[in-house]
Amino acid sequence: MLGAFAVGKTSLVQRYVKSIFSEKYQTTIGVKIDKKTVMVNQTEVDLLLWDIHGEDDFQKVKSSYVVGSSGYFIVIDGTRAETFAVGLELLKLAQSAAPAASCVFLFNKADIKSEWEITENQINEIRTMGFEVIETSAKDNLSVNEAFNHIAALMLK
Amino acid sequence: MLRNLPENILKYLVDQVPPYTGILIVKTSAEGVVLGWHGDPADYLSEALMINEDLSDQVAALFGMIPPLVSPMVLSRIEMHSECIADIHIVEDEELNEFWIFFVNQTKEVEGIRDFLQRLNESKLSAAKSNSDNPFGALHLLDLATFKPQSDGLFSVVGELPHWFQTLSSVEGRIKGRIQLADMFPFMEVFLPEANAFWDKQRNGNFKSGVWSENAQSGNNLYLNAYAINFNGVGYLMIRPLYQEFDGEMEVMQRAREQSLAFEKLAKAERKLKDLLDYKDKFVSIVSHDLRSPVASVLSIAQMLNADEGFLAQISDFNREMLNNIQQEMLRLLDYNDKLYNWSNLELGNFTLVTSRIQLLELVTQAERTAQPKLKEKHIEMQVEVPSGFLVEVDTTLFAQVLNNLVANALKFTAEGGKLTVSAKKGEGFYVLSLADSGVGMSKEVADQLFQGFVRQSTLGTKGEKGTGLGMGIVKKILDAHGFDIKVDSVVGEGTTFSIYLPAI
């Protein structure tokens, strides 16, 4: 899980792994690794989900956290324009550290789409770059399972 | 009682007794009989303290200790009762042959190290299990889990594993023989390659991992740091939990990010507000621009009719007065509309300064000419004291607007027969152009708000003159665009002086 701080990385993992959601923002320090076993095309897959702290001036993501990954999400908060640029920066870091890994962009907080600052053009920009885009909401459980199952399937290809 | 302490006893109390959270001081005779006390005995003793009783009846540790073999004598960490542990200092007052017993409360200090001492003692008891290959001794007592990497990539435990380590969900029941740390902690997949590179260098020192968190069996998260260590050519790996010191760091991080989020929200609200203001200014600009033509047409018709003597002769006095009123009001409306248009364009930044060099006197004279009708109407004397030769660089059209607005404002608030003086003085690299009137003046509160922008309600002039509430705002905008300062000094009932500071050419 890569993205700026407070985009909802931890919330997405918690929703997916534990089916819970908290409105309270609790900043992630360091790395939290969760496990979840899923069935992908009749194959049992153990997912190790690395919830990495948000990127900002206080904490920088180390490329070594991404090196061994089979896939990663770049998470962007639809309501915060600033998180788009951070997502693209982290994409560069991840592409350099794990060139073979699958990548999916998650535009989170789809439950409050009326407040989005991220434009359709920006989302299309990501699609044009060849990445899949999924609009998610950890709060309303929108497309969360689909996103994780999808990246698991991509990683198996 | 403290005040009555003999000097040598007081000196002992200040110099020798460590900082304490509570103290009981008891004075006894040479036989240990209680003569008096200071402090609350109930905190230290199970039963009430009595004068003339033998203190050792209450405190068994003092049995046979008074008089002591040496003075002072300190008995450390004596359990007074189940909730109190104290250091007991026995000090002799040689002059009076009396003894002062200090019970210094050490309960909190002992609680702080009890756990450590417990584990230290347990460690000593199980010393037979200790690994002779452990150069770090009882380091696990400081909560460090220590491992030694083996050639096959597995790790052997060095010394004892601390309690917290064994309570981790990922560790439970898996410490048998050599262990695969990366299986236990996926985070190690990232750290071990870096640690291996560090161990290969074989230089004494340590290399620290990032922070990661693990679930404890209690359900809480435990934050951890790993260290790769080279010690005398041998590599070790230590894992350390982050407790209180990290809580503070987390709190700072949490607060910083919450503030960042609040700042982002504020910036977002500001952007929205600015968009709305721009929209408002554009709207005003368009409306005032489009209104100008019909207003000017109606004014022209009124002026034309007012100038047609044949027509005026045909209508009643009342209708002539009405026609005159239409002309005056349309004139005022046009002025207001023009100011609104100028204001909105200044707000939007829809203008470019086109500056040229000009005599300050010429600009003032031009403003005086414009003000002539009003000067005559109110019999106000306008005195100009601007030396010729004061050259300034301004946008003449916009600066003329500044002077016209300031002069009009002065005339509005100066009663008939008053005076307006426009003067200029040279300072160090600048001119000060002052407009001083003998008008009604204004309070400091009004003066402070004067250049804030649109004034909701314009004050009527001395002859009931109405204003737009925009004049001073326009003045400030134009001067700001030039980079000039303006100041206002006013005394209610005496008058107002506006001073503009312009760079001298």
Side-chain angles (χ1 to χ4, degrees), chain A residues 42-140:
Chain A
Q42 282 93 46
T43 309
E44 194 174 86
V45 180
D46 283 330
L47 286 179
L48 275 179
L49 305 169
W50 285 57
D51 180 12
I52 300 171
H53 60 75
E55 168 95 353
D56 66 1
D57 292 340
F58 303 106
Q59 292 191 103
K60 296 287 174 200
V61 173
K62 289 171 74 174
S63 60
S64 58
Y65 289 164
V66 194
V67 168
S69 72
S70 307
Y72 52 88
F73 287 121
I74 302 284
V75 187
I76 290 167
D77 179 349
T79 68
R80 288 162 59 216
E82 301 85 347
T83 63
F84 187 81
V86 178
L88 291 184
E89 279 302 309
L90 287 168
L91 173 69
K92 276 189 214 163
L93 176 140
Q95 281 183 320
S96 154
S102 306
C103 170
V104 174
F105 272 74
L106 302 184
F107 285 80
N108 197 30
K109 305 191 186 173
D111 52 294
I112 40 174
K113 221 173 160 188
S114 60
E115 293 175 29
W116 275 29
E117 289 184 340
I118 301 290
T119 62
E120 204 56 42
N121 281 347
Q122 286 175 297
I123 295 175
N124 286 334
E125 188 187 321
I126 301 298
R127 289 199 178 101
T128 311
M129 290 162 73
F131 296 107
E132 292 196 50
V133 169
I134 301 175
E135 293 179 11
T136 55
S137 164
K139 185 180 179 184
D140 285 0

Side-chain angles (χ1 to χ4, degrees), chain B residues 410-428:
Chain B
L411 299 184
K412 181 180 165 186
F413 293 108
T414 301
E416 286 194 28
K419 190 176 176 184
L420 169 64
T421 305
V422 182
S423 60
K425 284 181 185 166
K426 191 169 184 192
E428 283 286 324

Side-chain angles (χ1 to χ4, degrees), chain B residues 219-278:
Chain B
N220 293 333
N221 264 352
L222 195 58
Y223 288 93
L224 305 170
N225 252 153
Y227 294 82
I229 292 169
N230 270 327
F231 185 71
N232 293 339
V234 183
Y236 295 91
L237 186 129
M238 286 184 178
I239 301 176
R240 171 175 172 256
L242 302 167
Y243 293 127
Q244 288 92 342
E245 81 276 18
F246 188 61
D247 289 345
E249 209 173 297
M250 272 183 71
E251 200 182 318
V252 168
M253 185 87 75
Q254 175 79 16
R255 275 198 211 155
R257 286 188 158 169
E258 279 171 1
Q259 278 178 5
S260 264
L261 284 175
F263 180 77
E264 275 183 21
K265 272 188 187 167
L266 208 62
K268 203 170 164 179
E270 192 189 2
R271 280 199 298 273
K272 273 189 184 168
L273 202 62
K274 195 171 179 318
D275 286 348
L276 277 173
L277 284 172
D278 278 358

Side-chain angles (χ1 to χ4, degrees), chain A residues 18-32:
Chain A
K18 297 177 184 166
S19 300
I20 55 172
F21 175 79
S22 167
E23 288 275 4
K24 188 176 179 291
Y25 169 59
Q26 185 66 51
T27 190
T28 303
I29 310 283
V31 179
K32 173 88 172 76

